[in-house]
Amino acid sequence: MLRRLALATAFALATVVAAPVPAQEAVVAAPASQQTPEQIVQAIADQLASAIDGHRDELKNNKEKLISIIDEVFLPHFDIDYASILVLGRNARAATPEQRNRFANAFYNSITHRYAEGLLNYTRGQVKVLPFKGDLNDKRTVVRTQVVLDDGKLVSIDYAFRKSRTGDWKAYDVIIEGISYVTNYRNQVDAEIRKVGIDQLITNLETQGQKGLGTMAQANQAARGRLPRTSSRPTVRRRQWAGAGRG
């Protein structure tokens, strides 16, 4: 539980649920094409703090509004299509376009709901964006950050970015202390697909939400000989964002 805030912040910065955001409610930011990856991460951290400060009690009792904040702040800067292909790994080749789209919807919906409440503990200054050392002429780069935990410990979190077809930078992976979330979930997804098939996996995520994600993780732990942890998280409503996030 010590790293719950770090995980929540990391996944929120790198994974989002897409949903249409009314123009008048959207967070105002500079055009993505004019922002460097470092500026994008810093802007997200600042916007998150501004959106949460003074509203924690309200958001604690209104999870859908909390999710909408994640939509508004993170969605424009995340390459949903590319990340979902990476998580599916070799299974993406055999999947139909409809299966890939359904998987992306269900998977990121589950991820965001699972970690959203941890963001209520986020305060300005808990994320320190380290000086950017990449080459903006490259098509891929990494932004390094540190998250300060409640006990003062630092957790290193890196965000992998790539340039979209339109030339703006978008994140597609998060690496927490050297562990890639894409690789971690790719292994779990691959094991589950071999076990029940891709259609059943997608159905489980669509109907069970974050609980389905937890069940998949527990099964993966059990297969490795680890003691599985029970999950009491409730089923969540599926949110649609088909086609959003494409560069």
Side-chain angles (χ1 to χ4, degrees):
M1 296 300 292
L2 180 63
R3 295 179 181 174
R4 184 174 182 81
L5 172 61
L7 290 169
T9 304
F11 279 101
L13 285 171
T15 63
V16 293
V17 179
V21 180
Q24 67 270 22
E25 296 179 1
V27 176
V28 178
S33 60
Q34 299 178 11
Q35 292 180 305
T36 66
E38 178 187 17
Q39 290 172 333
I40 290 172
V41 174
Q42 186 63 64
I44 288 175
D46 292 341
Q47 290 169 16
L48 177 63
S50 297
I52 291 178
D53 286 349
H55 302 284
R56 284 182 174 79
D57 290 340
E58 175 189 359
L59 294 173
K60 184 177 181 180
N61 297 314
N62 189 342
K63 192 169 185 178
E64 289 306 308
K65 186 169 183 177
L66 177 60
I67 293 296
S68 73
I69 290 175
I70 296 176
D71 294 343
E72 295 169 8
V73 175
F74 304 118
L75 175 58
H77 307 294
F78 187 72
D79 195 332
I80 297 170
D81 291 339
Y82 185 66
S84 64
I85 293 295
L86 293 180
V87 172
L88 279 173
R90 61 185 178 183
N91 297 290
R93 300 176 184 175
T96 65
E98 179 187 6
Q99 287 174 325
R100 290 195 295 266
N101 186 62
R102 286 179 59 207
F103 170 78
N105 273 310
F107 182 72
Y108 287 100
N109 177 59
S110 302
I111 285 276
T112 306
H113 278 79
R114 190 177 191 187
Y115 291 98
E117 291 182 1
L119 289 174
L120 294 177
N121 296 321
Y122 176 77
T123 57
R124 192 183 304 274
Q126 285 187 300
V127 175
K128 178 182 179 181
V129 181
L130 303 180
F132 180 63
K133 298 181 180 180
D135 184 349
L136 292 179
N137 292 320
D138 293 337
K139 293 185 178 180
R140 298 174 189 267
T141 192
V142 174
V143 175
R144 305 187 187 282
T145 74
Q146 291 180 330
V147 173
V148 183
L149 303 183
D150 291 340
D151 63 356
K153 291 184 179 180
L154 297 177
V155 175
S156 297
I157 301 178
D158 300 337
Y159 299 94
F161 279 78
R162 71 191 288 263
K163 278 187 178 179
S164 69
R165 293 190 296 271
T166 58
D168 55 324
W169 288 97
K170 292 193 176 185
Y172 65 90
D173 193 12
V174 57
I175 303 96
I176 304 175
E177 293 192 320
I179 300 177
S180 160
Y181 103 89
V182 163
T183 300
N184 180 56
Y185 277 106
R186 179 192 297 151
N187 294 337
Q188 295 183 24
V189 166
D190 182 64
E192 193 71 6
I193 288 176
R194 285 188 278 109
K195 179 181 176 182
V196 302
I198 188 169
D199 278 326
Q200 187 60 52
L201 166 63
I202 294 171
T203 298
N204 290 344
L205 292 176
E206 288 175 337
T207 58
Q208 301 175 26
Q210 63 195 55
K211 183 178 179 180
L213 192 68
T215 299
M216 183 176 67
Q218 291 170 14
N220 186 261
Q221 289 177 344
R224 295 185 180 187
R226 299 175 182 173
L227 180 64
R229 294 184 297 179
T230 59
S231 175
S232 60
R233 295 184 175 93
T235 300
V236 296
R237 176 172 60 86
R238 182 186 179 195
R239 296 171 63 88
Q240 294 291 340
W241 47 263
R246 288 187 173 89

